[in-house]
Amino acid sequence: MIEAAWSCLLQWWALSELTLGTWLWVGGVLALGCFVQRTTGFGMAVVGAPLILLKAPAMVPVVLVVYGFLVSCLVVRRYRREVAMGDISMALVGKVPGTLLGVWLLLIAPMATLEVMIAAIVLFAVLVTLFKLRLPVNRSSLFGAGFLSGIFGAVAAIGGPPIVLLMHGMPMDRLRGNLAAFFLISSLMTLASLAAVGKVPLWLLAVSLSFLPMVLVGHGLGAALAPRLPRRLLQGASLTLCAAAAIGLLLS
């Protein structure tokens, strides 16, 4: 039994084509992304997608969707009293056709095109966070934000910026709770859609789960240091890193 399990692990590792250095890079990026998300409320995939894509493109978007779901579970558990499904229900409706379109793009677009798309999504996320534009929040805008979130989430696991653009005026705890609830449900939708078209092979899921210890360390450090570190400084540093990684993708 143990020998069979070990044999499967070795086969999955071979299929991943990851070196130890690349595995450590991906794990470190995920830990950093979890730290940023726990301290600022948003940003794991924005940090993770361009940096992981530089070293391990086969891991994107599945590894980020998996940990987006797990981190959202942790955040929802903390802020469950702040969640108001009425705030996000229409966005979840828009998420469905957006996810289907995003998966279709993932299937037909060459990797070079996907890299440009992901870099553009990351830069859009940076601009949204920096300028905090005010848009009317209604059923139409929520549906549109959910639709864009579905596309961005399927292509790069970066479904947050369109929703944040609408909801950033909420009190911080309510924002964190609603975003986490939205990401929890939408991550399941994205993962199911990717699995349906064969984009979530067992080896990829297994290798993704191997990063769990590092993710928990990043989340734990974020929880411990969040009250002690200035949120604006952390956000500024993470946005600079994201922008640099996105520009690096465009120039590579």
Side-chain angles (χ1 to χ4, degrees), residues 81-164:
R81 290 187 177 87
E82 301 292 336
V83 176
M85 291 304 296
D87 291 341
I88 61 173
S89 57
M90 202 62 198
L92 288 170
V93 173
K95 179 85 176 182
V96 176
T99 299
L100 295 177
L101 178 56
V103 170
W104 177 73
L105 289 172
L106 199 63
L107 288 173
I108 66 163
M111 179 54 67
T113 302
L114 290 174
E115 288 181 356
V116 172
M117 289 175 64
I118 291 171
I121 292 168
V122 171
L123 292 175
F124 171 76
V126 171
L127 291 174
V128 165
T129 309
L130 281 176
F131 292 102
K132 295 184 178 179
L133 303 174
R134 292 278 184 179
L135 294 177
V137 180
N138 52 46
R139 290 173 63 85
S140 296
S141 62
L142 283 168
F143 182 91
F147 181 77
L148 289 177
S149 175
I151 298 172
F152 294 177
V155 171
I158 307 176
I163 303 299
V164 173

Coordinates of all heavy atoms in Angstrom, one line a residue, residues 81-164:
R81 N -20.1 36.4 10.0 CA -21.3 37.3 10.4 C -21.4 38.5 9.5 O -22.4 39.2 9.5 CB -21.1 37.7 11.9 CG -21.3 36.6 12.9 CD -21.3 37.1 14.3 NE -21.5 36.1 15.3 CZ -20.6 35.3 15.8 NH1 -19.3 35.4 15.4 NH2 -20.9 34.3 16.7
E82 N -20.3 38.8 8.7 CA -20.4 40.0 7.9 C -20.9 39.7 6.5 O -21.1 40.6 5.7 CB -18.9 40.6 7.8 CG -18.3 41.0 9.1 CD -19.0 42.2 9.7 OE1 -19.7 43.0 9.0 OE2 -19.0 42.3 11.0
V83 N -21.0 38.4 6.2 CA -21.4 38.0 4.8 C -22.9 38.3 4.6 O -23.7 37.9 5.4 CB -21.1 36.5 4.6 CG1 -21.6 36.1 3.2 CG2 -19.6 36.2 4.7
A84 N -23.2 39.0 3.5 CA -24.5 39.2 3.0 C -24.7 38.7 1.6 O -24.2 39.4 0.7 CB -24.9 40.7 3.1
M85 N -25.4 37.6 1.4 CA -25.5 37.0 0.1 C -26.2 37.9 -0.9 O -25.9 37.8 -2.1 CB -26.2 35.6 0.2 CG -25.4 34.6 0.9 SD -23.7 34.3 0.2 CE -24.2 33.7 -1.5
G86 N -27.0 38.8 -0.4 CA -27.7 39.7 -1.3 C -26.7 40.6 -2.0 O -27.0 41.2 -3.1
D87 N -25.5 40.9 -1.4 CA -24.5 41.8 -1.9 C -23.8 41.1 -3.1 O -23.3 41.8 -4.0 CB -23.5 42.2 -0.9 CG -24.0 43.1 0.2 OD1 -25.1 43.7 -0.1 OD2 -23.4 43.2 1.2
I88 N -23.8 39.8 -3.2 CA -23.0 39.1 -4.2 C -23.7 38.2 -5.1 O -23.2 37.6 -6.0 CB -21.8 38.3 -3.5 CG1 -22.4 37.2 -2.6 CG2 -20.9 39.2 -2.7 CD1 -21.3 36.3 -2.0
S89 N -25.0 38.0 -4.8 CA -25.8 37.0 -5.6 C -25.8 37.3 -7.1 O -25.6 36.4 -7.9 CB -27.2 36.8 -5.0 OG -27.9 38.1 -5.1
M90 N -26.0 38.5 -7.5 CA -26.1 38.9 -8.9 C -24.7 38.7 -9.5 O -24.6 38.4 -10.7 CB -26.6 40.3 -9.1 CG -27.2 40.5 -10.4 SD -28.7 39.5 -10.7 CE -28.8 39.5 -12.5
A91 N -23.7 39.0 -8.8 CA -22.3 38.8 -9.3 C -22.0 37.3 -9.6 O -21.4 37.0 -10.6 CB -21.3 39.4 -8.3
L92 N -22.6 36.5 -8.7 CA -22.4 35.0 -8.9 C -23.2 34.6 -10.2 O -22.7 33.7 -10.9 CB -22.9 34.3 -7.7 CG -22.0 34.4 -6.5 CD1 -22.7 33.8 -5.2 CD2 -20.6 33.7 -6.7
V93 N -24.3 35.2 -10.5 CA -25.0 34.8 -11.7 C -24.2 35.2 -12.9 O -24.1 34.4 -13.9 CB -26.4 35.6 -11.7 CG1 -27.1 35.4 -13.1 CG2 -27.3 35.1 -10.6
G94 N -23.6 36.4 -12.9 CA -22.8 36.8 -14.0 C -21.5 36.0 -14.1 O -20.9 35.9 -15.2
K95 N -21.1 35.4 -13.0 CA -19.8 34.6 -13.0 C -20.0 33.4 -13.9 O -19.0 32.9 -14.5 CB -19.6 34.2 -11.6 CG -18.3 33.3 -11.4 CD -17.1 34.1 -11.2 CE -15.9 33.2 -11.0 NZ -14.7 34.0 -10.8
V96 N -21.2 32.8 -14.0 CA -21.4 31.6 -14.8 C -21.0 31.7 -16.2 O -20.1 31.0 -16.7 CB -22.8 31.1 -14.6 CG1 -23.1 29.8 -15.5 CG2 -23.1 30.8 -13.1
P97 N -21.6 32.7 -17.0 CA -21.2 32.8 -18.4 C -19.8 33.3 -18.6 O -19.1 32.9 -19.5 CB -22.2 33.8 -19.0 CG -22.8 34.5 -17.8 CD -22.7 33.6 -16.7
G98 N -19.3 34.1 -17.6 CA -18.0 34.6 -17.7 C -17.0 33.5 -17.6 O -15.9 33.4 -18.3
T99 N -17.2 32.5 -16.7 CA -16.4 31.4 -16.5 C -16.3 30.5 -17.7 O -15.2 30.0 -18.1 CB -16.8 30.6 -15.2 OG1 -16.8 31.4 -14.1 CG2 -15.9 29.3 -15.0
L100 N -17.5 30.3 -18.3 CA -17.5 29.5 -19.5 C -16.7 30.1 -20.6 O -16.0 29.4 -21.4 CB -19.0 29.3 -20.0 CG -19.9 28.5 -19.0 CD1 -21.3 28.4 -19.5 CD2 -19.3 27.1 -18.8
L101 N -16.8 31.4 -20.8 CA -16.0 32.1 -21.8 C -14.5 32.0 -21.5 O -13.7 31.8 -22.4 CB -16.5 33.6 -21.9 CG -15.7 34.4 -22.9 CD1 -15.8 33.8 -24.3 CD2 -16.3 35.9 -23.0
G102 N -14.2 32.2 -20.2 CA -12.8 32.1 -19.8 C -12.2 30.8 -20.1 O -11.0 30.7 -20.5
V103 N -12.9 29.7 -19.8 CA -12.4 28.4 -20.0 C -12.2 28.1 -21.5 O -11.2 27.5 -21.9 CB -13.4 27.3 -19.4 CG1 -13.0 25.9 -19.9 CG2 -13.4 27.4 -17.9
W104 N -13.1 28.6 -22.3 CA -13.0 28.5 -23.8 C -11.7 29.2 -24.3 O -11.0 28.7 -25.1 CB -14.2 29.1 -24.4 CG -14.2 29.1 -25.9 CD1 -14.3 28.0 -26.8 CD2 -14.0 30.2 -26.8 NE1 -14.2 28.4 -28.1 CE2 -14.0 29.7 -28.1 CE3 -13.8 31.6 -26.6 CZ2 -13.8 30.6 -29.2 CZ3 -13.6 32.4 -27.7 CH2 -13.6 31.9 -29.0
L105 N -11.5 30.4 -23.7 CA -10.2 31.1 -24.1 C -9.0 30.3 -23.7 O -8.0 30.3 -24.4 CB -10.2 32.5 -23.4 CG -11.2 33.5 -24.0 CD1 -11.2 34.8 -23.1 CD2 -10.8 33.9 -25.4
L106 N -9.1 29.7 -22.5 CA -7.9 28.9 -22.0 C -7.7 27.7 -22.9 O -6.5 27.3 -23.1 CB -8.3 28.4 -20.6 CG -7.1 28.0 -19.7 CD1 -6.1 29.1 -19.5 CD2 -7.6 27.4 -18.4
L107 N -8.7 27.2 -23.6 CA -8.6 26.0 -24.4 C -8.0 26.4 -25.8 O -7.2 25.6 -26.4 CB -9.9 25.3 -24.6 CG -10.5 24.6 -23.4 CD1 -11.9 24.1 -23.7 CD2 -9.6 23.4 -23.0
I108 N -8.4 27.6 -26.3 CA -8.0 27.9 -27.7 C -6.8 28.8 -27.8 O -6.2 28.8 -28.9 CB -9.2 28.5 -28.5 CG1 -9.6 29.9 -27.9 CG2 -10.4 27.6 -28.4 CD1 -10.4 30.7 -28.8
A109 N -6.5 29.6 -26.8 CA -5.4 30.6 -26.9 C -4.1 30.0 -26.7 O -3.9 29.2 -25.8 CB -5.7 31.7 -25.9
P110 N -3.1 30.3 -27.5 CA -1.7 29.8 -27.3 C -1.1 30.5 -26.0 O -1.6 31.5 -25.5 CB -0.9 30.3 -28.5 CG -1.7 31.4 -29.1 CD -3.2 31.1 -28.7
M111 N -0.1 29.8 -25.4 CA 0.5 30.3 -24.1 C 1.0 31.7 -24.2 O 0.8 32.5 -23.3 CB 1.6 29.4 -23.7 CG 2.3 29.8 -22.4 SD 1.1 30.0 -21.0 CE 0.6 28.3 -20.8
A112 N 1.5 32.1 -25.3 CA 2.0 33.5 -25.5 C 0.9 34.5 -25.3 O 1.0 35.6 -24.7 CB 2.7 33.7 -26.8
T113 N -0.2 34.2 -25.9 CA -1.4 35.0 -25.8 C -1.9 35.1 -24.4 O -2.3 36.1 -23.8 CB -2.5 34.6 -26.8 OG1 -2.0 34.5 -28.1 CG2 -3.7 35.5 -26.7
L114 N -2.0 33.9 -23.7 CA -2.4 33.8 -22.3 C -1.5 34.7 -21.4 O -2.0 35.3 -20.5 CB -2.5 32.4 -21.9 CG -3.5 31.5 -22.5 CD1 -3.4 30.1 -22.0 CD2 -4.9 32.0 -22.1
E115 N -0.2 34.6 -21.7 CA 0.7 35.4 -20.8 C 0.4 36.9 -21.0 O 0.4 37.6 -20.0 CB 2.2 35.1 -21.2 CG 2.6 33.7 -20.8 CD 4.1 33.5 -21.2 OE1 4.7 34.4 -21.9 OE2 4.6 32.4 -20.8
V116 N 0.1 37.4 -22.2 CA -0.2 38.8 -22.4 C -1.5 39.1 -21.7 O -1.7 40.1 -21.0 CB -0.3 39.1 -23.9 CG1 -0.8 40.5 -24.1 CG2 1.1 39.0 -24.6
M117 N -2.5 38.2 -21.8 CA -3.8 38.4 -21.1 C -3.6 38.5 -19.6 O -4.2 39.4 -18.9 CB -4.8 37.3 -21.5 CG -5.3 37.3 -22.9 SD -6.3 35.9 -23.3 CE -7.7 36.1 -22.2
I118 N -2.8 37.6 -19.1 CA -2.6 37.6 -17.6 C -1.9 38.8 -17.1 O -2.3 39.4 -16.1 CB -1.9 36.3 -17.2 CG1 -2.8 35.1 -17.4 CG2 -1.4 36.4 -15.7 CD1 -2.1 33.7 -17.2
A119 N -0.9 39.2 -17.9 CA -0.2 40.5 -17.6 C -1.2 41.7 -17.6 O -1.1 42.5 -16.7 CB 1.0 40.7 -18.5
A120 N -2.0 41.7 -18.6 CA -3.0 42.8 -18.7 C -4.0 42.8 -17.5 O -4.3 43.8 -17.0 CB -3.7 42.7 -20.0
I121 N -4.4 41.6 -17.1 CA -5.3 41.4 -16.0 C -4.7 41.9 -14.7 O -5.3 42.6 -13.9 CB -5.8 40.0 -15.9 CG1 -6.7 39.6 -17.0 CG2 -6.6 39.8 -14.5 CD1 -7.0 38.1 -17.1
V122 N -3.4 41.6 -14.5 CA -2.7 42.0 -13.3 C -2.5 43.5 -13.3 O -2.8 44.1 -12.2 CB -1.3 41.3 -13.3 CG1 -0.5 41.9 -12.1 CG2 -1.4 39.8 -13.0
L123 N -2.2 44.1 -14.4 CA -2.0 45.6 -14.4 C -3.4 46.3 -14.2 O -3.5 47.3 -13.6 CB -1.4 46.0 -15.8 CG 0.0 45.6 -16.0 CD1 0.5 45.9 -17.4 CD2 0.9 46.2 -14.9
F124 N -4.5 45.7 -14.7 CA -5.8 46.2 -14.5 C -6.1 46.1 -13.0 O -6.6 47.1 -12.4 CB -6.8 45.4 -15.2 CG -8.3 45.7 -14.9 CD1 -8.9 46.8 -15.3 CD2 -9.0 44.8 -14.1 CE1 -10.2 47.1 -15.0 CE2 -10.3 45.1 -13.7 CZ -10.9 46.2 -14.2
A125 N -5.7 45.0 -12.3 CA -5.9 44.9 -10.9 C -5.2 45.9 -10.1 O -5.7 46.5 -9.1 CB -5.5 43.5 -10.4
V126 N -3.9 46.2 -10.5 CA -3.1 47.2 -9.9 C -3.8 48.6 -10.0 O -3.9 49.4 -9.0 CB -1.7 47.2 -10.5 CG1 -0.9 48.4 -9.9 CG2 -1.0 45.9 -10.1
L127 N -4.2 48.9 -11.2 CA -4.9 50.2 -11.4 C -6.2 50.4 -10.6 O -6.4 51.4 -10.0 CB -5.2 50.4 -12.9 CG -4.0 50.6 -13.8 CD1 -4.4 50.6 -15.3 CD2 -3.2 51.9 -13.5
V128 N -7.0 49.3 -10.6 CA -8.2 49.3 -9.8 C -7.9 49.6 -8.3 O -8.6 50.4 -7.7 CB -9.0 48.0 -9.9 CG1 -10.0 47.8 -8.9 CG2 -9.6 47.9 -11.3
T129 N -6.9 48.9 -7.8 CA -6.5 49.1 -6.4 C -6.0 50.5 -6.1 O -6.3 51.1 -5.0 CB -5.5 48.0 -6.0 OG1 -6.0 46.7 -6.4 CG2 -5.3 48.0 -4.5
L130 N -5.2 51.0 -7.0 CA -4.6 52.3 -6.8 C -5.6 53.5 -6.9 O -5.6 54.4 -6.0 CB -3.5 52.6 -7.8 CG -2.2 51.9 -7.6 CD1 -1.2 52.2 -8.8 CD2 -1.5 52.4 -6.3
F131 N -6.5 53.5 -7.9 CA -7.3 54.6 -8.1 C -8.7 54.5 -7.4 O -9.4 55.5 -7.3 CB -7.5 54.8 -9.6 CG -6.2 55.3 -10.3 CD1 -5.4 54.4 -11.0 CD2 -5.8 56.6 -10.1 CE1 -4.3 54.8 -11.6 CE2 -4.6 57.0 -10.7 CZ -3.9 56.1 -11.5
K132 N -9.1 53.3 -7.1 CA -10.4 53.1 -6.3 C -11.5 53.9 -6.9 O -12.1 54.7 -6.3 CB -10.2 53.5 -4.9 CG -9.2 52.6 -4.1 CD -9.1 53.0 -2.7 CE -8.2 52.0 -2.0 NZ -8.0 52.3 -0.5
L133 N -11.8 53.7 -8.2 CA -12.8 54.4 -8.9 C -14.2 54.0 -8.3 O -14.4 52.9 -7.8 CB -12.8 54.0 -10.4 CG -11.5 54.2 -11.1 CD1 -11.6 53.6 -12.5 CD2 -11.2 55.7 -11.2
R134 N -15.1 55.0 -8.3 CA -16.4 54.8 -7.7 C -17.4 54.5 -8.9 O -17.6 55.3 -9.8 CB -16.9 56.0 -7.0 CG -16.1 56.3 -5.7 CD -16.7 55.4 -4.6 NE -16.0 55.7 -3.3 CZ -16.3 55.2 -2.2 NH1 -17.2 54.2 -2.1 NH2 -15.7 55.5 -1.1
L135 N -18.0 53.3 -8.8 CA -19.0 52.9 -9.8 C -20.3 52.6 -9.1 O -20.3 52.2 -8.0 CB -18.6 51.7 -10.6 CG -17.3 51.8 -11.5 CD1 -17.0 50.5 -12.1 CD2 -17.6 52.9 -12.6
P136 N -21.5 52.9 -9.8 CA -22.8 52.6 -9.2 C -22.9 51.1 -8.9 O -22.5 50.2 -9.8 CB -23.8 53.1 -10.2 CG -23.1 53.1 -11.5 CD -21.6 53.4 -11.2
V137 N -23.4 50.7 -7.8 CA -23.6 49.3 -7.4 C -25.1 49.0 -7.6 O -25.9 49.4 -6.8 CB -23.2 49.0 -6.0 CG1 -23.4 47.5 -5.6 CG2 -21.7 49.4 -5.7
N138 N -25.4 48.2 -8.6 CA -26.8 47.8 -8.9 C -26.7 46.4 -9.6 O -25.6 45.8 -9.7 CB -27.5 48.8 -9.8 CG -26.7 49.1 -11.1 OD1 -26.2 48.2 -11.7 ND2 -26.6 50.4 -11.4
R139 N -27.9 45.9 -9.9 CA -27.9 44.5 -10.5 C -27.1 44.4 -11.8 O -26.4 43.4 -12.0 CB -29.4 44.1 -10.7 CG -30.2 43.9 -9.4 CD -31.6 43.7 -9.7 NE -31.9 42.5 -10.5 CZ -32.0 41.3 -10.0 NH1 -31.9 41.1 -8.7 NH2 -32.2 40.2 -10.8
S140 N -27.2 45.4 -12.6 CA -26.4 45.4 -13.9 C -24.9 45.4 -13.7 O -24.2 44.6 -14.3 CB -26.9 46.5 -14.8 OG -28.2 46.4 -15.1
S141 N -24.5 46.3 -12.8 CA -23.0 46.4 -12.6 C -22.5 45.2 -11.9 O -21.4 44.8 -12.1 CB -22.7 47.7 -11.8 OG -23.3 47.7 -10.5
L142 N -23.3 44.6 -11.0 CA -22.8 43.4 -10.3 C -22.8 42.2 -11.3 O -21.8 41.4 -11.2 CB -23.8 43.1 -9.1 CG -23.7 43.9 -7.9 CD1 -24.8 43.7 -6.9 CD2 -22.4 43.5 -7.1
F143 N -23.8 42.1 -12.2 CA -23.7 41.1 -13.2 C -22.5 41.3 -14.1 O -21.7 40.3 -14.3 CB -25.0 41.1 -14.0 CG -25.0 40.0 -15.1 CD1 -25.6 38.8 -14.8 CD2 -24.4 40.2 -16.4 CE1 -25.6 37.8 -15.8 CE2 -24.5 39.2 -17.3 CZ -25.1 38.0 -17.0
G144 N -22.2 42.5 -14.5 CA -21.0 42.8 -15.4 C -19.7 42.5 -14.6 O -18.8 41.9 -15.2
A145 N -19.7 42.8 -13.4 CA -18.4 42.5 -12.6 C -18.2 41.0 -12.4 O -17.1 40.5 -12.5 CB -18.5 43.2 -11.2
G146 N -19.3 40.3 -12.2 CA -19.3 38.9 -12.1 C -18.8 38.2 -13.4 O -18.1 37.3 -13.4
F147 N -19.3 38.8 -14.5 CA -19.0 38.2 -15.8 C -17.5 38.4 -16.1 O -16.8 37.4 -16.5 CB -19.8 39.0 -16.9 CG -19.5 38.5 -18.3 CD1 -20.1 37.3 -18.8 CD2 -18.7 39.2 -19.1 CE1 -19.8 36.9 -20.1 CE2 -18.5 38.8 -20.4 CZ -19.0 37.6 -20.9
L148 N -17.0 39.6 -15.8 CA -15.5 39.8 -16.0 C -14.7 39.0 -15.0 O -13.7 38.4 -15.4 CB -15.2 41.3 -15.8 CG -15.7 42.3 -16.9 CD1 -15.4 43.7 -16.5 CD2 -15.0 41.9 -18.2
S149 N -15.2 38.9 -13.8 CA -14.5 38.0 -12.8 C -14.4 36.6 -13.3 O -13.4 35.9 -13.0 CB -15.3 38.1 -11.5 OG -14.7 37.3 -10.5
G150 N -15.5 36.1 -13.9 CA -15.5 34.7 -14.4 C -14.4 34.5 -15.5 O -13.7 33.5 -15.5
I151 N -14.3 35.5 -16.4 CA -13.3 35.4 -17.5 C -11.9 35.4 -16.8 O -11.0 34.6 -17.1 CB -13.4 36.5 -18.5 CG1 -14.7 36.5 -19.2 CG2 -12.3 36.5 -19.5 CD1 -15.0 37.7 -20.1
F152 N -11.6 36.5 -16.0 CA -10.3 36.6 -15.4 C -10.0 35.4 -14.5 O -8.8 35.0 -14.4 CB -10.3 37.9 -14.5 CG -10.4 39.2 -15.3 CD1 -10.5 40.4 -14.6 CD2 -10.5 39.2 -16.7 CE1 -10.6 41.6 -15.3 CE2 -10.6 40.3 -17.4 CZ -10.7 41.6 -16.7
G153 N -11.0 34.9 -13.8 CA -10.7 33.8 -12.9 C -10.4 32.5 -13.6 O -9.5 31.8 -13.1
A154 N -11.0 32.2 -14.7 CA -10.7 31.0 -15.4 C -9.4 31.1 -16.1 O -8.7 30.1 -16.2 CB -11.8 30.8 -16.5
V155 N -9.0 32.2 -16.6 CA -7.7 32.4 -17.4 C -6.6 32.4 -16.4 O -5.5 31.8 -16.6 CB -7.8 33.7 -18.2 CG1 -6.4 33.9 -18.8 CG2 -8.8 33.5 -19.4
A156 N -6.7 33.2 -15.3 CA -5.5 33.4 -14.4 C -5.8 33.3 -12.9 O -4.9 33.6 -12.1 CB -5.0 34.8 -14.7
A157 N -7.0 32.9 -12.6 CA -7.4 32.8 -11.1 C -7.5 34.2 -10.5 O -7.5 34.3 -9.3 CB -6.5 31.9 -10.3
I158 N -7.6 35.3 -11.3 CA -7.6 36.6 -10.7 C -9.0 37.2 -10.9 O -9.3 38.0 -11.8 CB -6.5 37.6 -11.4 CG1 -5.2 36.9 -11.3 CG2 -6.5 38.9 -10.7 CD1 -4.1 37.7 -12.1
G159 N -9.9 36.7 -10.2 CA -11.3 37.1 -10.3 C -11.7 38.3 -9.4 O -12.9 38.7 -9.5
G160 N -10.8 38.7 -8.6 CA -11.1 39.8 -7.6 C -11.3 41.2 -8.1 O -12.3 41.9 -7.7
P161 N -10.5 41.7 -9.0 CA -10.5 43.2 -9.3 C -11.9 43.7 -9.7 O -12.3 44.8 -9.2 CB -9.5 43.3 -10.4 CG -8.5 42.2 -10.1 CD -9.3 41.1 -9.6
P162 N -12.6 43.1 -10.6 CA -13.9 43.7 -11.0 C -14.9 43.8 -9.8 O -15.6 44.7 -9.7 CB -14.5 42.7 -12.0 CG -13.3 42.0 -12.6 CD -12.4 41.8 -11.4
I163 N -14.8 42.8 -8.9 CA -15.7 42.8 -7.7 C -15.2 43.9 -6.7 O -16.0 44.6 -6.1 CB -15.8 41.4 -7.0 CG1 -16.2 40.4 -8.1 CG2 -16.7 41.4 -5.8 CD1 -17.6 40.6 -8.6
V164 N -13.9 43.9 -6.5 CA -13.4 44.9 -5.6 C -13.7 46.3 -6.1 O -14.0 47.2 -5.3 CB -11.9 44.7 -5.4 CG1 -11.2 45.9 -4.6 CG2 -11.6 43.4 -4.8

